[in-house]
């Protein structure tokens, strides 16, 4: 019955601790109560045929109940020893994937600051859940303490002197939490959080760099000062074009041909891979593209002549 109880508790408790929400420990208590009750009931029925005295029977049932609690506590200590890995995994999952669990593409429209805050808050919730064993319904303020010390104190607008002068994590024990139920002390939480931020900072910086690179690749216009300079310095040439319609017609034809070449070569997509690879790729496709455009123009120009020749033959 101890083996059955271990099997019924170990994996579900691990899954609940991995989810790490406000309902984690209440769900674990409910699971422990249900499985222990079933195991005790089965053991009580099994030993009823042995005609044991009442004290021995109670001792066996109590031993089974304590075994269930020890399984949960042992699993919680195992998960607490891997808390930093769990925190980084959760941060990576929430930061690098969207609400549909699809990989994020940093196009420049995403709010990296808000995404980072959400991912770190979820990691802090995991740290708060694993800080102590809560098999009894005694309340504690671990979540509030961690939020005050790790999130609120980091805000640039924080001016509360009590937050700045008093570090709530400068202690080796939690308030209203016995030492035997403590898995991660406040000082250890502070050290883990500092290491966690240092190891996830690279991921955030890479996302910012990818976002900036995407913005630069999608911005084909020159800077505003260059547009203003071209407008001022090219005013005389612009007026010359307006006075001579032939120039406008030539420019219009050049624009159409350039637009066709742009679309055929897909220049915008080519330069996303880098400047030098784009030049190499465009150099190999430029002449075939020009020949293809000229061939199309020739075919379209020759198409109306076919009906004329047919009518002349008739």
């Amino acid at each position: 019955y101890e083996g059955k109880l271990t099997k019924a508790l170990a994996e579900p408790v691990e899954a609940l601790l991995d989810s790490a929400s406000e309902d984690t420990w209440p769900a674990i208590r409910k699971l422990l109560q249900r499985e222990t009750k079933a195991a005790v009931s089965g053991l009580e029925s099994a030993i009823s045929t042995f005609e044991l005295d009442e004290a021995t029977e109670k001792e066996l049932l109590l031993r089974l109940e304590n075994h269930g609690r020890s399984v949960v506590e042992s699993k919680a200590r195992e998960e607490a020893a891997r808390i930093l890995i769990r925190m980084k995994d959760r941060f990576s999952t929430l930061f690098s994937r969207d609400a549909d669990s699809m990989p994020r593409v940093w196009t420049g429209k995403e709010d990296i600051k808000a995404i980072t805050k959400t991912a770190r808050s979820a990691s802090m919730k995991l740290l708060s859940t694993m800080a102590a064993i809560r098999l009894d319904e005694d309340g504690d303020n671990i979540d509030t303490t961690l939020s005050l010390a790790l999130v609120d104190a980091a805000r640039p607008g924080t001016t509360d002197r009590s937050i700045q002068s008093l570090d709530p994590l400068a202690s080796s024990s939690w308030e209203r939490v016995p030492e035997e139920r403590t898995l991660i002390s406040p000082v250890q939480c502070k050290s883990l959080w500092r290491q966690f931020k240092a190891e996830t900072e690279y991921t955030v910086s890479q996302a910012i760099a990818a976002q900036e690179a995407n913005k630069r690749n999608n911005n084909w216009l020159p800077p505003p000062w260059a547009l203003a300079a071209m407008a001022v310095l090219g005013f005389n040439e612009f007026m010359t074009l307006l006075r001579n319609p032939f120039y406008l017609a030539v420019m219009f034809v050049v624009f159409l041909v350039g637009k066709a070449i742009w679309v055929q070569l897909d220049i915008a997509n080519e330069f996303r891979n880098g400047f030098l690879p784009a030049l190499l790729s465009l150099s190999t496709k430029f002449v075939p593209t020009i020949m293809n455009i000229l061939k199309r123009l020739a075919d379209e120009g020759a198409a109306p002549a076919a009906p004329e020749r047919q009518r002349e033959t008739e």
Side-chain angles (χ1 to χ4, degrees):
Y1 278 95
E2 286 180 352
K4 289 181 180 180
L5 187 56
T6 300
K7 186 176 180 180
L9 291 174
E11 292 184 358
V13 168
E14 181 178 352
L16 289 171
L17 290 175
D18 186 48
S19 62
S21 63
E22 296 180 355
D23 299 328
T24 295
W25 283 105
I28 291 176
R29 289 196 295 266
K30 186 176 180 180
L31 173 68
L32 175 63
Q33 183 180 4
R34 184 181 69 248
E35 297 297 336
T36 302
K37 183 177 179 180
V40 167
S41 177
L43 178 61
E44 189 175 10
S45 300
I47 64 177
S48 61
T49 58
F50 290 92
E51 299 181 357
L52 300 175
D53 58 274
E54 186 177 356
T56 304
E57 185 175 343
K58 286 184 177 181
E59 181 181 355
L60 290 174
L61 298 178
L62 181 62
R63 175 183 169 184
L64 185 59
E65 292 179 0
N66 293 334
H67 176 75
R69 291 179 66 94
S70 67
V71 169
V72 175
E73 293 177 0
S74 176
K75 183 57 66 174
R77 295 185 188 281
E78 290 178 8
E79 293 299 314
R82 299 193 293 264
I83 184 61
L84 183 60
I85 299 175
R86 296 285 191 182
M87 290 170 63
K88 290 190 293 184
D89 288 344
R90 172 162 295 192
F91 177 85
S92 178
T93 300
L94 296 178
F95 185 81
S96 303
R97 295 182 177 273
D98 57 17
D100 299 326
S101 297
M102 298 296 294
R104 294 186 190 273
V105 179
W106 304 106
T107 60
K109 300 179 181 179
E110 299 82 10
D111 188 353
I112 294 183
K113 185 177 180 181
I115 296 173
T116 303
K117 183 178 179 181
T118 302
R120 285 179 175 171
S121 297
S123 300
M124 190 197 66
K125 175 64 68 176
L126 179 60
L127 180 61
S128 172
T129 302
M130 298 304 306
I133 297 173
R134 301 177 178 91
L135 290 180
D136 300 317
E137 298 184 5
D138 300 334
D140 58 66
N141 58 353
I142 295 178
D143 191 30
T144 304
T145 302
L146 289 177
S147 178
L148 179 68
L150 304 179
V151 179
D152 295 339
R155 294 176 182 172
T158 302
T159 58
D160 191 352
R161 294 182 179 179
S162 62
I163 296 177
Q164 295 177 350
S165 60
L166 180 61
D167 187 357
L169 297 182
S171 174
S172 59
S173 61
W174 298 104
E175 185 179 355
R176 292 184 293 176
V177 178
E179 183 178 356
E180 62 272 11
R181 289 193 296 155
T182 300
L183 297 175
I184 307 173
S185 66
V187 175
Q188 290 173 334
C189 285
K190 185 175 182 179
S191 177
L192 285 169
W193 186 258
R194 186 184 300 113
Q195 185 177 354
F196 162 75
K197 288 187 67 176
E199 295 185 9
T200 55
E201 197 68 30
Y202 178 75
T203 304
V204 180
S205 63
Q206 287 292 100
I208 296 175
Q211 199 175 65
E212 292 296 328
N214 203 328
K215 288 181 179 179
R216 288 194 299 268
N217 291 335
N218 292 332
N219 188 12
W220 290 90
L221 292 176
W225 63 267
L227 293 175
M230 286 188 292
V232 173
L233 298 177
F235 180 75
N236 294 333
E237 289 76 6
F238 179 71
M239 295 303 298
T240 303
L241 289 175
L242 291 180
R243 294 190 185 100
N244 194 334
F246 177 73
Y247 289 155
L248 291 178
V250 172
M251 289 188 62
F252 182 70
V253 173
V254 171
F255 170 76
L256 292 179
V257 174
K259 183 65 176 179
I261 295 174
W262 182 282
V263 173
Q264 290 291 327
L265 293 178
D266 196 8
I267 296 179
N269 191 33
E270 291 288 346
F271 274 93
R272 290 180 182 176
N273 300 324
F275 184 77
L276 184 58
L279 288 181
L280 295 175
S281 177
L282 293 175
S283 64
T284 59
K285 296 192 297 185
F286 183 76
V287 175
T289 302
I290 296 296
M291 298 301 296
N292 187 25
I293 293 175
L294 294 177
K295 183 179 179 181
R296 286 187 180 181
L297 292 176
D299 292 341
E300 291 179 0
E308 293 292 335
R309 283 197 294 269
Q310 184 177 359
R311 285 197 295 270
E312 290 176 0
T313 304
E314 291 175 355

